[in-house]
């Protein structure tokens, strides 16, 4: 039974982040997959790190709409603000011509990603978001971190 539950969770996570699913998995899913078409990469000329950070932020805004009222002004607002700070720092880094300033904004984005991970974990513990939503956020955070690390390394060359 546990193995079947793990498969179901994996299929739901894949649906949340827009990966293709087998035909029968779409029929078994209890809800519609979360897909943001506004930031699809073929039409978008931005770097992938921007696109993924925007998807992460949009996902956080969508899942926290129905969070308990007692957490809306504390942990939920921190989730929102930190996700926006990540995008803001990425844009600031992109427009900096001096390497020192660019690296500073990239580091701020990385710190904000780590904070976002902490806030998401806290929100899960306080039941403002569920385990599935936390796992999707964690996966998206790791993807943005990977892309940001690649951007930082490319600046050093």
């Amino acid at each position: 039974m546990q193995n079947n539950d793990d498969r179901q969770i994996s299929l739901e996570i894949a649906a949340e982040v827009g990966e293709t699913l087998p035909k029968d998995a779409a029929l078994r899913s209890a809800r519609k997959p979360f897909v943001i078409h506004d930031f699809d990469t073929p039409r978008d000329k931005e770097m992938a790190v921007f696109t993924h950070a925007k998807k992460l932020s949009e996902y956080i805004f969508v899942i926290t709409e129905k969070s308990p009222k007692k957490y809306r002004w504390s942990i939920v607002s921190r989730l929102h603000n930190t996700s926006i700070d990540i995008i803001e720092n990425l844009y600031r880094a992109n427009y900096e011509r001096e390497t020192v300033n660019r690296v500073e904004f990239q580091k701020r984005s990385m710190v904000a990603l780590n904070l976002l991970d902490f806030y998401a974990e806290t929100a899960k513990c306080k039941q403002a978001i569920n385990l599935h939503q936390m796992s999707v956020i964690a996966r998206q955070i790791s993807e943005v971190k990977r892309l940001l690390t690649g951007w930082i390394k490319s600046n050093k060359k």
Side-chain angles (χ1 to χ4, degrees):
M1 185 66 181
Q2 179 66 21
N3 193 12
N4 193 19
D5 290 340
D6 290 343
R7 177 171 159 69
Q8 183 66 26
I9 289 172
S10 298
L11 291 172
E12 286 182 17
I13 291 171
E16 290 285 337
V17 295
E19 293 180 357
T20 58
L21 295 171
K23 290 181 182 178
D24 63 333
L27 296 174
R28 287 183 279 141
S29 181
R31 59 190 161 121
K32 215 165 66 168
F34 176 79
V35 178
I36 302 172
H37 296 288
D38 298 340
F39 303 122
D40 287 343
T41 47
R43 292 171 296 211
D44 200 353
K45 301 296 182 196
E46 288 182 330
M47 289 190 291
V49 68
F50 289 98
T51 305
H52 285 273
K54 286 178 182 179
K55 283 183 180 181
L56 172 61
S57 182
E58 180 69 25
Y59 182 73
I60 288 170
F61 274 86
V62 169
I63 65 168
T64 54
E65 283 178 356
K66 296 183 180 179
S67 293
K69 200 173 202 174
K70 63 184 178 180
Y71 298 121
R72 285 192 195 143
W73 300 108
S74 56
I75 193 71
V76 171
S77 65
R78 296 252 180 158
L79 282 167
H80 291 172
N81 292 337
T82 306
S83 69
I84 292 169
D85 287 344
I86 292 166
I87 298 168
E88 179 182 345
N89 286 321
L90 289 173
Y91 274 113
R92 290 183 189 276
N94 193 38
Y95 287 106
E96 280 296 327
R97 296 294 171 219
E98 296 178 26
T99 308
V100 177
N101 292 338
R102 176 174 283 184
V103 170
E104 180 64 30
F105 285 118
Q106 289 170 333
K107 284 181 182 179
R108 287 182 187 178
S109 293
M110 191 63 79
V111 169
L113 281 165
N114 290 330
L115 284 172
L116 186 66
D117 191 26
F118 167 73
Y119 294 144
E121 186 178 333
T122 304
K124 193 261 173 223
C125 290
K126 296 296 181 181
Q127 298 177 347
I129 60 174
N130 62 34
L131 177 63
H132 171 69
Q133 293 166 337
M134 170 62 195
S135 62
V136 171
I137 289 173
R139 185 172 176 180
Q140 290 179 332
I141 287 173
S142 67
E143 181 67 18
V144 174
K145 280 184 178 180
R146 185 184 64 78
L147 292 167
L148 181 56
T149 303
W151 187 21
I152 292 169
K153 285 181 181 177
S154 73
N155 287 337
K156 291 180 181 178
K157 294 178 182 177

